Amino acid sequence: MIEKPLTSGDVDFVTTLHGEEQISFVVLMQPRGDQADVLLRAIDDLAMGELKEAVREGEEPEGKSARQPAELALEVSLEALRRAGSEAVGQVIEDHPLDKLKSVVDEAEADEVIVLTAPHYVEEFFHRDWASRARHKVGVPVLKLFAHSE
């Protein structure tokens, strides 16, 4: 599960987690929704010392306008995984992402879930981040990794 395009560092990281073992990925891209989380994202930006990013949070596309950038981010990420030698398919999910994650884990008989995300300090503190919530839902190990930035 990702929330932004994978960087080359992210791809290297996730494709080498299991050594030389051949890995296939089902990537679920979670676009920014209509959630009232602009304040939480701004707090995270401030905690990371990224003042300019905190100010720009209100300018980021959300809801329906976030769908097209999410689809593009997903395609870029899938292509990067394929170039690294992995099988990769994916989809953008908007409604009930944890339910979709659970069904994908079951259908694909996944061994683990990787949640690749930026730090979300407030949500993590209260265990409301995607990885914490997925651990109670999917029935397989959930690995939370922090995304690289380029």
Side-chain angles (χ1 to χ4, degrees):
M1 192 170 203
I2 62 174
E3 59 187 10
K4 64 179 193 170
L6 297 177
T7 65
S8 59
D10 295 330
V11 171
D12 289 342
F13 195 30
V14 299
T15 58
T16 60
L17 280 173
H18 298 285
E20 298 297 317
E21 184 179 337
Q22 180 63 30
I23 301 174
S24 62
F25 294 91
V26 178
V27 180
L28 301 179
M29 175 71 188
Q30 173 69 38
R32 295 172 90 121
D34 290 322
Q35 312 103 349
D37 63 354
V38 173
L39 178 60
L40 293 178
R41 292 192 310 259
I43 291 170
D44 289 338
D45 290 336
L46 289 172
M48 298 285 292
E50 298 174 354
L51 264 46
K52 290 180 183 178
E53 292 300 318
V55 172
R56 289 191 200 117
E57 281 299 337
E59 299 170 8
E60 291 291 324
E62 293 187 358
K64 300 257 186 256
S65 62
R67 176 85 187 186
Q68 186 175 8
E71 289 172 353
L72 179 59
L74 176 63
E75 284 306 313
V76 166
S77 299
L78 293 175
E79 184 56 35
L81 288 167
R82 291 176 190 137
R83 278 194 315 269
S86 297
E87 294 180 23
V89 297
Q91 61 185 299
V92 173
I93 51 170
E94 296 177 75
D95 298 323
H96 310 290
L98 292 176
D99 291 339
K100 183 62 180 176
L101 180 61
K102 171 70 174 145
S103 68
V104 166
V105 165
D106 292 344
E107 290 167 19
E109 298 178 353
D111 295 324
E112 71 182 349
V113 168
I114 299 172
V115 177
L116 191 67
T117 181
H120 298 293
Y121 296 109
V122 175
E123 292 169 335
E124 289 169 22
F125 180 79
F126 291 106
H127 302 284
R128 299 302 304 154
D129 58 298
W130 288 119
S132 296
R133 293 168 58 198
R135 285 186 183 105
H136 300 286
K137 184 95 175 172
V138 298
V140 298
V142 176
L143 180 60
K144 178 180 179 175
L145 302 174
F146 290 119
H148 294 80
S149 58
E150 287 187 344

